[in-house]
Amino acid sequence: METPSNEAVDFRSEFLRVLRSRRSPEVPLVAKCSKPVEDPVFQNDVPSTAALESCPKEYINNLKEMLNEENIHLHTEASEQGRLPLLIVSLKEKSEEKKPAIVFMHGTNTNKEWLRPWLEAYASRGYVAIGLDSRYHGERAGSKTAYRDALISSWKNGDTMPFIFDTVWDLIKLAEYLTQREDIDPKRIGITGISLGGMHAWFAAAADTRYSVTVPLIGVQGFRWAIENDEWEARANSIKPLFEEARIDMGKSEIDKEVVEKVWNRIAPGLASQFDSPYSLSVTAPRPLYILNGAKDPRCPLGGLVVPLERAQEAYEDTASAGNFKFVAEDGVGHEVTSFMIKETSDWFDKFLKQGNITSY
């Protein structure tokens, strides 16, 4: 592994400082068995799993019977939201050989159970597949407005960071847990996610080098660029009740760029400045990173990625790992995950995480 640059070290130090600034007391990292979720909470319409179901899988007779499922609560901090629910799927095979593992992140208003087709496909191919509920989702949602309510509370009180950052803290703690498991190779842990989950994957990899391979789907964007170029509306509309509340509090007749900037600064300090994509993508080098977006995605406009991609490419070239970085914007696709993206993700992980394919990154 290449020695981290001063820029990467400084980025992680400052990012961790911000993550710790609104944290309840830390607790011992304890994993406790829990029960399967029979009726998972969706805070909006249930999205199609068609793309997930297209994921390459090994043909195994009676696959369901061959899968081992673990339901775990991992305690990441003292608050109520510090209980991190995990769904871990792997094959029931007796082997002392450590396996590669991949963490899968769901999008807004869904949950880890929605990820099951994806988890099972990877488990069939010899991975340990980990799904989790992000903050105020799934088992961590007390109601069908839990995430919306948490975002508004963060705006008003400034004591939590439910948009991206609090879940990144959980992912740092999760990496600690996964590297201690006897069935997982600590040097072969990947992470991916869709939309909000893609953002979680992006920032987790920037924050924690234990995530050795990363594939964020329809999540990477330029928050500052969107503000400066009036391309923020689609992103703001995805969590509009938050911005409407801020508009009212600021005495505005409509949501504008000032409202958007103040919201980001309040609920995720640094998101539209020192932690934005021009700075957070490059620090992932030289670890493999494949960014997949839709070319017509209004929430992740391509104009906002010109500078971040240039800086990331330069960082990978500087670490002699240009082949470890890739970006594709799928033609004609908006804010949706496609079978192409799912297949590309699968190929990328197999290339870098399967035994025998590990390079010197």
Side-chain angles (χ1 to χ4, degrees):
M1 178 73 75
E2 298 278 348
T3 302
S5 67
N6 290 336
E7 176 186 350
V9 171
D10 291 346
F11 176 94
R12 292 187 188 104
S13 176
E14 180 61 13
F15 192 39
L16 286 172
R17 185 194 67 78
V18 170
L19 294 186
R20 289 191 174 105
S21 68
R22 301 184 189 178
R23 199 65 41 219
S24 60
E26 291 194 45
V27 295
L29 192 67
V30 176
K32 296 183 178 180
C33 293
S34 60
K35 296 180 180 180
V37 177
E38 295 182 0
D39 187 20
V41 174
F42 289 88
Q43 297 181 51
N44 208 329
D45 295 337
V46 181
S48 169
T49 57
L52 304 187
E53 290 166 5
S54 72
C55 184
K57 57 179 70 70
E58 284 292 325
Y59 177 76
I60 299 175
N61 282 327
N62 303 316
L63 175 61
K64 295 281 188 181
E65 297 176 10
M66 298 299 296
L67 293 175
N68 179 58
E69 179 177 315
E70 301 171 68
N71 292 273
I72 292 172
H73 286 163
L74 185 68
H75 291 261
T76 64
E77 61 178 288
S79 71
E80 181 180 351
Q81 286 292 315
R83 185 188 65 173
L84 175 61
L86 305 175
L87 172 60
I88 303 178
V89 183
S90 59
L91 283 177
K92 294 176 181 176
E93 51 185 14
K94 295 181 179 179
S95 172
E96 294 184 2
E97 183 178 337
K98 291 180 180 290
K99 298 179 179 180
I102 300 176
V103 175
F104 298 84
M105 303 299 298
H106 62 77
T108 302
N109 296 328
T110 63
N111 49 61
K112 64 186 183 302
E113 283 73 28
W114 181 78
L115 297 167
R116 185 178 291 278
W118 217 6
L119 304 179
E120 292 181 354
Y122 275 83
S124 78
R125 291 169 25 223
Y127 289 92
V128 178
I130 303 103
L132 61 111
D133 289 326
S134 62
R135 297 272 176 137
Y136 305 96
H137 286 78
E139 292 184 67
R140 305 166 100 176
S143 70
K144 290 201 171 187
T145 61
Y147 183 51
R148 181 198 71 185
D149 296 345
L151 292 171
I152 292 172
S153 175
S154 177
W155 159 255
K156 291 186 174 295
N157 302 309
D159 55 353
T160 60
M161 294 179 284
F163 187 66
I164 306 175
F165 288 3
D166 283 343
T167 297
V168 172
W169 175 263
D170 293 332
L171 289 167
I172 292 171
K173 292 297 183 178
L174 176 60
E176 182 178 343
Y177 166 70
L178 295 178
T179 55
Q180 295 172 5
R181 283 180 59 116
E182 294 183 356
D183 58 338
I184 291 175
D185 183 342
K187 294 182 179 180
R188 292 190 291 158
I189 300 175
I191 186 168
T192 185
I194 298 169
S195 191
L196 175 62
M199 297 183 233
H200 289 145
W202 153 26
F203 281 99
D208 197 323
T209 59
R210 289 173 291 194
Y211 291 108
S212 58
V213 184
T214 309
V215 188
L217 307 180
I218 60 171
V220 176
Q221 61 207 270
F223 288 93
R224 168 56 51 186
W225 182 92
I227 293 170
E228 293 178 348
N229 291 274
D230 289 321
E231 294 281 356
W232 47 263
E233 188 172 5
R235 171 57 57 201
N237 283 344
S238 71
I239 44 177
K240 193 168 184 178
L242 162 66
F243 289 94
E244 283 291 349
E245 196 74 22
R247 173 192 68 76
I248 293 168
D249 289 346
M250 292 173 64
K252 297 264 190 176
S253 60
E254 60 182 18
I255 299 169
D256 59 19
K257 64 169 59 180
E258 182 184 7
V259 172
V260 173
E261 182 167 13
K262 284 188 178 296
V263 167
W264 293 145
N265 289 342
R266 178 71 163 171
I267 72 170
L271 180 65
S273 52
Q274 71 264 37
F275 305 136
D276 201 358
S277 52
Y279 312 102
S280 50
L281 293 182
S282 59
V283 301
T284 306
R287 290 168 290 140
L289 171 64
Y290 187 0
I291 300 166
L292 283 150
N293 280 8
K296 292 186 176 181
D297 187 348
R299 299 185 192 180
C300 304
L302 295 184
L305 292 181
V306 173
V307 171
L309 293 174
E310 288 176 351
R311 291 186 177 182
Q313 187 65 53
E314 181 179 349
Y316 277 87
E317 290 173 356
D318 288 346
T319 53
S321 58
N324 288 359
F325 178 67
K326 188 174 182 179
F327 169 74
V328 169
E330 187 175 355
D331 289 343
V333 174
H335 192 72
E336 62 178 310
V337 68
T338 66
S339 296
F340 168 80
M341 295 178 187
I342 296 298
K343 178 62 165 60
E344 288 289 291
T345 299
S346 176
D347 290 347
W348 190 259
F349 281 132
D350 281 354
K351 177 180 179 180
F352 291 104
L353 292 181
K354 282 290 189 179
Q355 193 71 38
N357 289 341
I358 300 176
T359 59
S360 60
Y361 60 86

